[in-house]
Amino acid sequence: MIQLEHITQTYTDPSGNTFQALKDVSLEIEDGEIFGIIGRSGAGKSTLVRCINLLNRPSEGRVIVNEHDLTALPESELREVRRSIGMIFQHFNLLSSRTVYQNVALPLELVGTPKDVIDKKIRPLIELVGLTEHVDKYPSQLSGGQKQRVGIARALANDPKVLLSDEATSALDPETTVATLALLQKINRELGVTIVLITHEMNVVKQICNRVAVMNKGEIVERGNVIDIFARPQSETTKALIGNVVASDLPESIIERVRSARAARSSHEEVHLLRLSFIGDEVTQPVISECSRAFDINFNILRGTVDDMQGRSLGTLTILVEAEADVYEKAVHFLRQRGVNVEELSDVQ
């Protein structure tokens, strides 16, 4: 288990001004799970993940990994414990003068591991990440996705119990991102490695994580199971992150329909772009049609999906509603009373 207890990180600039990158953050991550930490740029998520292996030593608080209080260890013992914590970087950090094999083998070479032991260890790792045919190539001969796979294999060289992934997919195209996340899931499943994944993309969290913590301005503003966070976000930060995903997924033709509806609305009507979400059995209930009949209100469905997340169904609808204010409020209340989460999206203007 990873336990972060009251972590605060304060920086002082040359002029003596102080800035708190982390503010009294406490967090527990269970063995064997894939845990996401998400937030916008500057939220403090990368600073926080670097506290887990003490690459960033917090100003206050304790970091406990597998029952070791890293903040209390002398440097010699800390180095030993760090070997059980692998790290994957956004920009790969490969040595251009070394082959795939040599890059993956580097952590073992640095601790004096015999060559025959290295070979027995490294070749299966290269096979695990799907780079057997590229074992003697140099980084300049690899694609971005292949470079990241080298970084993943290298991070696994010391048999880590924890794998930290700091924006590991943000430099990759969407197709390669999906493949890389599938590889991380395979590693988690087959090797039992706990993965802590830092990202600013809700789609990444949605695909791979069991639980997630949402950060804003150095604090955790929400945490929980991914499906619950997606279905019923509580903080404004989380709602905005999910709303950005929905809005960015809408085709331009639909966005134009939204704009046209708003431009053509009558003086007594309001136009609302909503995201409705349902969990489990709610997905199969006819609540939309019931609401439409009850309040004589039309729902223009723009997009709908049903996803399977951790064995549960999550349904989402993006809809356009034109109605008078009092009718709209009654309809929203009706939906929420029946377990539907209703969010207004403001990202499409």
Side-chain angles (χ1 to χ4, degrees), residues 205-225:
V205 168
K206 180 179 175 180
Q207 180 176 333
I208 190 174
C209 296
N210 308 118
R211 293 193 300 140
V212 63
V214 183
M215 294 195 68
N216 185 46
K217 296 180 180 179
E219 299 177 288
I220 293 177
V221 296
E222 190 165 356
R223 72 188 80 194
N225 294 327

Side-chain angles (χ1 to χ4, degrees), residues 16-146:
N17 300 312
T18 60
F19 168 73
Q20 278 194 322
L22 298 172
K23 305 171 186 176
D24 193 26
V25 174
S26 294
L27 189 65
E28 287 190 359
I29 299 171
E30 300 291 340
D31 290 340
E33 73 174 327
I34 302 179
F35 192 96
I37 301 176
I38 189 168
R40 296 188 181 93
S41 178
K45 55 190 185 298
S46 291
T47 302
L48 183 63
V49 79
R50 282 173 165 79
C51 288
I52 294 175
N53 58 4
L54 249 60
L55 286 179
N56 184 80
R57 183 175 286 273
S59 307
E60 299 176 25
R62 296 202 306 162
V63 178
I64 302 170
V65 180
N66 297 324
E67 300 182 351
H68 296 282
D69 183 352
L70 273 59
T71 46
L73 293 179
E75 192 62 32
S76 58
E77 292 183 38
L78 178 59
R79 283 196 297 270
E80 186 65 31
V81 173
R82 274 185 178 141
R83 291 175 191 167
S84 68
I85 306 173
M87 192 159 190
I88 311 166
F89 301 92
Q90 176 181 355
H91 298 296
F92 322 129
N93 290 5
L94 303 182
L95 297 177
S96 60
S97 61
R98 295 175 70 96
T99 64
V100 168
Y101 181 96
Q102 291 167 338
N103 267 287
V104 177
L106 183 60
L108 297 180
E109 292 178 8
L110 291 176
V111 296
T113 307
K115 288 186 177 181
D116 60 329
V117 175
I118 290 177
D119 195 63
K120 290 178 181 178
K121 184 66 176 295
I122 295 307
R123 293 197 181 276
L125 284 178
I126 291 174
E127 182 179 356
L128 175 67
V129 301
L131 292 177
T132 301
E133 296 180 359
H134 306 282
V135 65
D136 294 320
K137 290 184 178 179
Y138 291 88
S140 62
Q141 299 172 291
L142 304 175
S143 68
Q146 290 168 339

